[in-house]
Amino acid sequence: MSRTWDVAIVGAGYVGLPLAETFADAGRKVLIVDVVPELVDAINRGESHIEDVPSALLAPHVTAGHITATTDYAQLKEADAILVALPTPLTKQREPDLSYVEAAARSIGEVLQPGQLVVLESTTYPGTTREVVKPLLEAGSGLEAGRDFHLAMSPERVDPGRTDWTTKTTPKVVGGLTPACTAAAAAVYRGAIDTVHELSAPESAELTKLLENIYRSVNIALVNELAQLCDRMGIDVWEVVEAAATKPFGFQSFQPGPGLGGHCIPLDPYYLSWKAREYDFSARFIELAGEVNNNMPYFCRSVISQALNHGLKKSVSGSRILILGVAYKADIGDVRETPAEKLVALLRTAGADVAYHDPHVPEFDGMASVPLQPEAYDCVAIVTAHSAIDYADLVRRAKVVVDFRNATRGHEVDGKVWKL
Ligand SMILES: NC(=O)c1ccc[n+]([C@@H]2O[C@H](COP(=O)([O-])OP(=O)(O)OC[C@H]3O[C@@H](n4cnc5c(N)ncnc54)[C@H](O)[C@@H]3O)[C@@H](O)[C@H]2O)c1
């Protein structure tokens, strides 16, 4: 095909922007469509808001005309392939919220051209592409999927902050509505991504992504439950997990922690348990893992309470507590679904005076990150272990440290450092 843009990406977020950069790196011309004008303007100035895509890498692509952003869906007419990377959150009732995807599918339907390819990249339940996206595209365009245009699903697997596996090097799974749709989508991705794995249907692609995230959620729940048992038995859970990981086969290591965080693992599994109900099926592992993981901030509050009680003979009420790290994982600034939010709320309700320090998050929950002065607090709770922190120095200066990440490993001091 010979339209102006090789690829258009709808949604310039954690998924969309690295994807745009990956295609531009491969010499493709990329159009980005986003509904936030300020974001579009910033991208067109070469300024990135996503840590994984430094402005220094984005700007040359913008200058060379290989990445251009717009709020105007009509420009999609000039793209060969349209990749949709929009949020798929949950409603307050923890049910799939496809409103972003549906809105975009309606807008794309109005401008869709014969011969174009549309790929859904958002994480979602099996059936979304066929049952939700396809009818909206067809209704808006008057075209038929699989005959007049190609439609496929290819879930994004990027892990923000990770450098060993990137959008380019992480294999891409692709399932199209028809074999020709799969082939068309696979061909586009092969132009920029090292490995493409073809599937027989969009439902397989949708479920592949959910399996990956449910696998993580269930295994994290397993070690979180073990951590709570170890607390009662006086066994160091970190030592046990590390020891089990020395087995060269049959065991994959997962770390306990203060709870799940991020856009994916805490939310995605519920997409499947919701869909399963349509088939009179109860996805029990998903619900149980959610229960255990959601309970972790409550358990962490009790560990802090015990540490203050035994370490300083103080109650949570009236204590000054510093939360160290509020991002949902180390070395990034993403606070979506972070367990820190729940823990802060629980500690405040219990009467604590809570502050936080996070080198990656300047503002959080109505607070500004304070300078790291451990001696000024009754207790420092390590919720996220950013690598820029000197944990030996922290232990030296703090009165009591509660470590939910094993960041103080090797610097433990009896009666001062309390671990999950
Ligand atoms: N963040 C991750 O680590 C990650 C990893 C793998 C998969 N995913 C999945 O990828 C999808 C996208 O997630 P994300 O983290 O990139 O989201 P995000 O919130 O970072 O970005 C979404 C972007 O879409 C824009 N947008 C919203 N509505 C729009 C519309 N109608 N038209 C055009 N743009 C619109 C927003 O302004 C925003 O810039 C989700 O389904 C998510 O589950 C995310």
Side-chain angles (χ1 to χ4, degrees), residues 374-375 390-401 408 411 413 416-417:
E375 55 281 343
D390 181 345
Y391 293 100
D393 181 59
L394 175 83
V395 170
R396 263 194 305 277
R397 291 165 61 190
K399 292 178 192 146
V400 164
V401 177
T408 57
H411 311 297
V413 177
K416 188 176 194 182
V417 177

Side-chain angles (χ1 to χ4, degrees), residues 13-15 34 36 39 73 86 88 122-123 156 158 160 263 336:
Y14 286 90
V15 166
D34 203 286
V36 179
L39 199 60
Y73 267 79
L86 293 176
T88 42
S122 302
T123 306
E156 180 50 63
V158 69
H263 183 298
R336 291 182 295 177

Side-chain angles (χ1 to χ4, degrees), residues 10-16 33-36 39 49-50 73 85-88 100 103-104 107 121-124 155-160 209 263-264 268 328 334 336:
V10 181
Y14 286 90
V15 166
V33 180
D34 203 286
V35 286
V36 179
L39 199 60
H49 62 298
I50 300 292
Y73 267 79
L86 293 176
T88 42
Y100 296 91
S107 304
E121 290 237 359
S122 302
T123 306
T124 184
E156 180 50 63
R157 296 159 133 179
V158 69
D159 182 12
K209 172 74 187 181
H263 183 298
C264 298
D268 299 348
Y328 83 84
D334 192 347
R336 291 182 295 177

Side-chain angles (χ1 to χ4, degrees), residues 5 237 314 345:
W5 310 101
V237 68
K314 289 194 81 165

Side-chain angles (χ1 to χ4, degrees), residues 170-397:
T170 306
K172 201 96 176 79
V173 295
V174 180
L177 208 62
T178 64
C181 292
T182 305
V188 168
Y189 287 117
R190 284 201 177 97
I193 289 169
D194 293 349
T195 311
V196 176
H197 182 82
E198 295 182 31
L199 299 172
S200 62
E203 288 78 6
S204 303
E206 289 156 340
L207 188 53
T208 299
K209 172 74 187 181
L210 291 184
L211 169 62
E212 292 160 10
N213 285 354
I214 291 163
Y215 173 80
R216 290 193 60 75
S217 170
V218 167
N219 282 286
I220 292 167
L222 178 66
V223 285
N224 278 339
E225 189 177 68
L226 196 71
Q228 296 177 59
L229 176 61
C230 282
D231 181 65
R232 289 198 196 180
M233 297 179 76
I235 298 171
D236 183 340
V237 68
W238 304 97
E239 188 180 50
V240 173
V241 169
E242 196 180 299
T246 62
K247 187 179 178 185
F249 52 87
F251 182 82
Q252 194 190 353
S253 180
F254 288 84
Q255 309 294 308
L260 298 178
H263 183 298
C264 298
I265 316 287
L267 308 182
D268 299 348
Y270 295 109
Y271 266 70
L272 188 59
S273 53
W274 177 85
K275 187 67 177 174
R277 288 201 282 278
E278 194 180 310
Y279 294 84
D280 292 332
F281 192 94
S282 165
R284 285 177 292 166
F285 271 101
I286 294 173
E287 298 295 343
L288 181 60
E291 203 178 294
V292 173
N293 291 326
N294 290 339
N295 186 53
M296 285 313 286
Y298 295 88
F299 180 71
C300 291
R301 176 187 57 180
S302 75
V303 177
I304 292 173
S305 162
Q306 288 296 305
L308 283 165
N309 183 22
H310 293 287
L312 292 181
K313 303 204 178 339
K314 289 194 81 165
S315 61
V316 172
S317 178
S319 287
R320 296 197 71 205
I321 299 176
L322 180 72
I323 302 292
L324 183 51
V326 295
Y328 83 84
K329 67 174 181 177
D331 298 335
I332 62 166
D334 192 347
V335 296
R336 291 182 295 177
E337 303 293 322
T338 175
E341 192 173 341
K342 185 78 189 177
L343 186 58
V344 167
L346 291 172
L347 292 170
R348 279 188 180 144
T349 305
D353 180 4
V354 183
Y356 86 94
H357 173 79
D358 191 315
H360 295 269
V361 185
E363 284 173 19
F364 173 70
D365 210 7
M367 301 181 279
S369 177
V370 297
L372 184 53
Q373 292 171 325
E375 55 281 343
Y377 299 88
D378 297 307
C379 168
V380 180
I382 303 170
V383 171
T384 303
H386 293 305
S387 56
I389 306 293
D390 181 345
Y391 293 100
D393 181 59
L394 175 83
V395 170
R396 263 194 305 277
R397 291 165 61 190

